[in-house]
Amino acid sequence: MKRVVVTGIGVVSPIGNSLREAWGAAKSGISGIMPIQKFDATCMQWGVSGEVKGFYAETYLAHREIRRLDLFVHYAVAAAVMAAEDAGLTGKPQEVSNTRALASAGVIIGSSRGGIGTVEKEMHKLYSSGNAPHGVRTSAYLMPSTTISMAASYVAQKLGIRGYCLGISNACASGTNAIGEAFRLIQSGYRYPVLCGGTEAPVCRTCVAGYGSSGALSSVRNAAASRPFDRTRDGFVLAEGSCILVLEDLHHAVKRGARIYGEVTGYGNTTDAFHQTMPSSEGEARAITMAIRQAKLQPSDIHLINAHGTSTPLGDKTETEAIKLSLGRLAYRVPVTSVKSLTGHMLAASGALEAAFTLMSMNEGIITPTINLQERDPECDLDYVTEPRKTGIVHAISHSFGFGGLNAVLVFRQRDS
């Protein structure tokens, strides 16, 4: 089986619109959560979100493309362009080998909600002001701009990629699943790089009301709303953005002189077969164990867990139980962190961003803090990192768990190990 490495990362997030900016904010424990700006939420019970700030789609897309595409595609294109540049795949014209590699590359991008913002806008136009459906036309681009696969296919179009292309929707696990499926694709013999990750733009009235009504969102109206593993946590904070990684065969990466962030060594993908929204610690634990075993490791080899850590009462408790089930008594020795305390829950994009930060933690020997953890929940009793921590990390895992009992776990190895 081929060895698979990460050679490029692109980020659009509530804490920065580049890997360098977002990683710097994460190391410093800077929150990207603030009052909702995209619509008037003053009369709603839920008032904060993790919104992307200072993003200029014009840098990556023509004006007509911006009008014809949903924001989740804008974010994906931006992150993919950054990732391809970071991987050295979009260099000077004379770099023929890299140009050919990009043309033959693959794209796998996950999204949970796709173009729901555009759907909301067009439905409002269709049904507001007493207009009957037959009296108003929707945009001709409503359907193509909102389909989940459009992120992957438009990234391919913008970068001239003509290889493998797949859109994934697996709830909040979608971005992690996209990376895992890219890992499997390359392991099985795919010869070219694969751009993979997640993208979301769900901060709209429909999503806030929908998640809020289900009891999933925090009702706190400040940056402390996202507080994973805290005794007072009351739900997650909806967020947006995109993170794209470039995966490729180790031999190919070395041959073309690419920088290597780290190696993907394991992937676990399970379903709970349990409940529509309630998680199962047993199902999550099976995914963790599957990923560790595929990496040919033991629980004692794991030096960091980048948790799903959404800040929901049941979710964090269940994840803690799953870690104990999969690692046994060693669970108490492994540092655990949650990026969502900083960004909020970017749905499919969160898993990809957490994977990127796991790789950066391994490269720099520093674990990002879980902020807002003030009162420890007795049922969440692991080693949660609340201040930046310097430590050596050779092997690390990153979790993503979604509605419907969809579980995805990745294992990474340090680049020099």
Side-chain angles (χ1 to χ4, degrees):
M1 300 285 274
K2 293 180 178 292
R3 294 176 63 182
V4 182
V5 295
V6 179
T7 58
I9 301 173
V11 174
V12 175
S13 80
I15 58 173
N17 297 330
S18 68
L19 174 61
R20 180 178 179 180
E21 185 181 0
W23 174 240
K27 288 189 293 182
S28 300
I30 297 173
S31 174
I33 295 169
M34 60 185 294
I36 293 172
Q37 303 294 305
K38 289 186 177 292
F39 63 92
D40 184 0
T42 53
C43 294
M44 301 185 79
Q45 182 181 348
W46 315 280
V48 295
S49 64
E51 296 181 25
V52 170
K53 296 165 277 291
F55 174 77
Y56 300 102
E58 295 85 353
T59 305
Y60 306 95
L61 295 162
H63 182 65
R64 61 179 176 77
E65 294 174 305
I66 294 170
R67 290 188 295 104
R68 294 175 179 180
L69 296 165
D70 186 86
L71 193 56
F72 90 110
V73 181
H74 299 181
Y75 292 157
V77 169
V81 169
M82 285 187 271
E85 290 175 349
D86 189 42
L89 294 173
T90 56
K92 300 174 184 178
Q94 60 265 34
E95 295 173 346
V96 177
S97 62
N98 288 352
T99 303
R100 288 176 178 170
L102 185 60
S104 302
V107 186
I108 306 177
I109 299 178
S111 182
S112 176
R113 295 298 160 195
I116 193 164
T118 296
V119 172
E120 179 185 82
K121 181 180 71 175
E122 292 298 313
M123 291 304 98
H124 178 74
K125 183 172 72 176
L126 193 61
Y127 291 105
S128 66
S129 304
N131 291 318
H134 61 270
V136 178
R137 289 185 61 185
T138 64
S139 165
Y141 297 98
L142 171 60
M143 293 296 103
S145 73
T146 60
T147 184
I148 284 166
S149 63
M150 187 54 64
S153 60
Y154 214 83
V155 163
Q157 181 175 327
K158 291 301 291 183
L159 290 173
I161 293 172
R162 300 184 179 183
Y164 191 94
C165 189
L166 179 66
I168 290 179
S169 186
N170 230 23
C172 300
S174 302
T176 300
N177 281 133
I179 297 169
E181 296 306 315
F183 165 65
R184 284 180 174 169
L185 181 67
I186 296 168
Q187 260 201 333
S188 66
Y190 196 75
R191 297 175 53 199
Y192 301 99
V194 179
L195 282 75
C196 53
T199 187
E200 298 285 1
V203 183
C204 62
R205 190 177 294 275
T206 299
C207 278
V208 172
Y211 282 117
S213 297
S214 74
L217 296 186
S218 172
S219 59
V220 174
R221 303 182 77 90
N222 58 47
S226 184
R227 48 195 191 283
F229 309 110
D230 191 272
R231 185 184 64 80
T232 68
R233 68 190 184 278
D234 68 335
F236 70 78
V237 172
L238 192 63
E240 62 179 355
S242 180
C243 182
I244 303 296
L245 278 58
V246 176
L247 270 58
E248 58 185 296
D249 167 46
L250 173 62
H251 175 74
H252 183 273
V254 171
K255 184 178 179 180
R256 68 180 189 86
R259 175 185 53 196
I260 295 173
Y261 285 99
E263 182 176 356
V264 187
T265 57
Y267 170 47
N269 178 9
T270 68
T271 183
D272 296 344
F274 174 62
H275 192 271
Q276 187 174 0
T277 57
M278 291 175 60
S280 162
S281 58
E282 184 274 336
E284 293 176 4
R286 281 190 291 109
I288 297 169
T289 298
M290 180 187 297
I292 292 173
R293 286 178 177 170
Q294 184 179 31
K296 296 181 171 56
L297 300 175
Q298 299 296 322
S300 57
D301 296 316
I302 304 302
H303 303 131
L304 169 65
I305 296 172
N306 207 318
H308 187 53
T310 59
S311 185
T312 61
L314 183 58
D316 292 1
K317 174 179 174 288
T318 301
E319 184 170 15
T320 299
E321 293 171 352
I323 292 170
K324 294 176 185 177
L325 284 173
S326 54
L327 301 189
R329 59 183 176 80
L330 297 171
Y332 293 95
R333 302 182 187 178
V334 183
V336 179
T337 191
S338 171
V339 174
K340 294 181 183 71
S341 65
L342 305 164
T343 62
H345 195 347
M346 299 160 61
L347 307 182
S350 273
L353 184 65
E354 288 151 13
F357 284 176
T358 301
L359 289 160
M360 294 305 295
S361 287
M362 299 171 77
N363 274 268
E364 296 190 9
I366 187 169
I367 302 174
T368 58
T370 301
I371 64 171
N372 303 323
L373 178 45
Q374 302 296 326
E375 300 182 46
R376 300 277 178 149
D377 184 342
E379 294 188 280
C380 296
D381 57 350
L382 300 178
D383 180 17
Y384 307 110
V385 177
T386 57
E387 297 290 339
R389 183 185 299 182
K390 291 187 177 181
T391 184
I393 305 167
V394 178
H395 303 283
I397 58 179
S398 184
H399 303 165
S400 291
F401 308 124
F403 276 175
L406 304 172
N407 310 307
V409 176
L410 295 166
V411 181
F412 297 97
R413 177 163 56 203
Q414 189 184 63
R415 61 182 178 182
D416 297 324
S417 62

